[in-house]
């Protein structure tokens, strides 16, 4: 299969927009974004597994280095040319937000927080991403969209805070900082995915971090103890290959196809999926409020997907 390089994929945005508005493109884009959400929903449980074997700094550095090696091999195998200089600033924002900032801040939070409590940040991420997109790209979703987005965020917040007992912890500072940097990275990545393939956006962002991630991994591993276990290895492999690379590939493609605001609202389902994985993989307790919250969130998602942007 012939993969176009970033130098040859500068198709006019108008053409991309016309394709994205076609019903088939919208359906495929929605599916891709949904697959990204499923991949991301496993991130917190996988991180909790990874922390069984690695320290927080080692886990983040190793996952970034492994993901960058995977991305680099894909870029080399496809003979993709380096990105143009005018895209480097945007790729740096993606790298700072989703490659380094969000993983590091959430990993630090998960040292003292349950995955249920950490899901609060994911519950607010769709709304924050939509706001960031409106400021950065001038998108103007309808009032119906904003009303449904706020309602969905409120439902997720109420459920996850209640699930965690309503207690605020020292990890909340990390979580809200992660929220801001991730929203910026998602927005910039969605913008770049309109002019280059989504897998190249995250691929180059990961490769740009290699000069930092490899030395950081070597340094962290020399200071933090490593106790390898099946859970620990599986966790780090998933956050590297699944969350850090493959999930972001389909996520950025979905955002480019259906728009950043609409794609971001699919993440309203992510905290609930994370809680399901937490029960299945970590034996955490799930309250009876989950089905009611899930139904409310699905209604909000349906409204945001049908509203005009």
């Amino acid at each position: 299969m012939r993969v176009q390089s970033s130098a040859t994929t500068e198709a006019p945005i108008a053409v991309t927009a016309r394709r994205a508005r076609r019903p088939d493109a919208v359906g495929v884009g929605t599916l891709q974004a949904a697959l990204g959400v499923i991949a991301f929903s496993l991130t917190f449980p996988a991180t909790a597994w990874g922390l069984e074997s690695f320290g927080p700094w080692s886990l983040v550095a190793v996952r970034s280095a492994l993901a960058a090696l995977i991305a680099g091999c894909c870029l080399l195998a496809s003979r993709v040319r380096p990105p143009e200089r005018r895209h480097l600033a945007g790729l740096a924002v993606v790298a700072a937000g989703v490659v380094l900032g969000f993983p590091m801040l959430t990993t630090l939070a998960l040292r003292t927080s349950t995955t249920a409590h950490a899901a609060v940040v994911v519950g607010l991420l769709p709304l924050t991403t939509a706001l960031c997109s409106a400021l950065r790209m001038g998108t103007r979703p309808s009032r119906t969209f904003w009303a449904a987005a706020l309602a969905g965020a409120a439902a997720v917040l109420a459920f996850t805070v209640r699930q965690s007992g309503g207690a605020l912890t020292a990890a909340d500072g990390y979580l809200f900082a992660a929220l801001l940097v991730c929203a910026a990275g998602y927005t910039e990545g969605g913008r770049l995915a309109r002019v280059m393939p989504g897998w190249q956006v995250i691929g180059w962002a990961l490769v740009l971090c290699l000069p930092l991630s490899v030395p950081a991994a070597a340094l962290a591993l020399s200071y933090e103890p490593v106790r390898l276990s099946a859970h620990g290895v599986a966790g780090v492999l998933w956050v590297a290959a699944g969350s850090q690379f493959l999930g972001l590939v389909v996520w950025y493609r979905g955002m480019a196809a259906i728009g950043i605001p609409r794609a971001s609202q699919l993440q309203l389902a992510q905290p609930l999926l994370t809680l399901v994985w937490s029960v299945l993989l970590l034996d955490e307790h799930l309250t009876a409020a989950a089905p009611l919250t899930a139904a409310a969130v699905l209604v909000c998602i349906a409204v945001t997907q049908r509203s005009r942007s």
Side-chain angles (χ1 to χ4, degrees), residues 111-184:
R111 292 183 305 168
T112 57
S113 173
T114 65
T115 56
H117 187 78
V120 172
V121 70
V122 180
L124 290 175
L125 187 55
L127 182 60
T128 308
T129 303
L131 288 171
C132 190
S133 173
L135 293 174
R136 175 69 175 88
M137 303 178 65
T139 56
R140 297 183 180 277
S142 66
R143 292 181 180 178
T144 302
F145 175 94
W146 286 118
L150 286 168
V156 169
L157 266 177
F159 176 66
T160 50
V161 170
R162 182 177 179 180
Q163 178 73 12
S164 62
L168 295 178
T169 68
D172 289 327
Y174 291 128
L175 293 173
F176 285 112
L179 174 73
L180 296 176
V181 298
C182 190

Side-chain angles (χ1 to χ4, degrees), residues 42-68 98-111 115 206 212-241 243-244:
L42 279 161
T43 300
F44 286 170
T47 299
W49 273 8
L51 287 171
E52 295 180 11
S53 295
F54 298 89
W57 299 98
S58 299
L59 178 58
V60 173
V62 168
R63 71 180 273 184
S64 178
L66 287 176
V98 302
V99 177
L100 298 177
F102 187 79
M104 185 72 258
L105 291 165
T106 54
T107 300
L108 290 173
L110 284 171
R111 292 183 305 168
T115 56
L206 286 164
L212 293 175
S213 59
V214 171
L219 182 63
L221 288 171
S222 67
Y223 280 94
E224 293 181 334
V226 176
R227 304 179 183 87
L228 292 182
S229 66
H231 278 177
V233 173
V236 74
L237 288 177
W238 175 258
V239 292
S243 303
Q244 195 88 67

Side-chain angles (χ1 to χ4, degrees), residues 36-45 269-271 273-275 277:
V37 170
I38 294 172
F40 300 153
S41 71
L42 279 161
T43 300
F44 286 170
Q270 186 173 325
L273 290 172
T274 296
L275 290 170
W277 295 126

Side-chain angles (χ1 to χ4, degrees), residues 12 60 84 86 134 166 228 262 282:
V60 173
E84 297 181 15
R86 62 194 179 99
L228 292 182
R262 291 180 65 186
L282 304 176

Side-chain angles (χ1 to χ4, degrees), residues 16-37 129-130 133 137 139-141 145 190-191 193-194 250-267 301-302 304-309:
T16 303
R18 285 197 300 270
R19 290 177 179 174
R21 284 194 294 266
R22 294 190 323 209
D24 56 339
V26 171
V28 172
T30 301
L31 176 61
Q32 289 171 332
L35 289 174
V37 170
T129 303
S133 173
M137 303 178 65
T139 56
R140 297 183 180 277
F145 175 94
R191 184 187 68 82
R194 293 184 174 185
V250 292
W251 176 244
Y252 283 138
R253 286 177 65 90
M255 284 199 294
I258 66 176
I260 297 172
R262 291 180 65 186
S264 69
Q265 297 315 298
L266 291 173
Q267 281 196 302
I301 291 175
T304 60
Q305 296 307 298
R306 294 179 66 89
S307 64
R308 294 181 59 187
S309 298

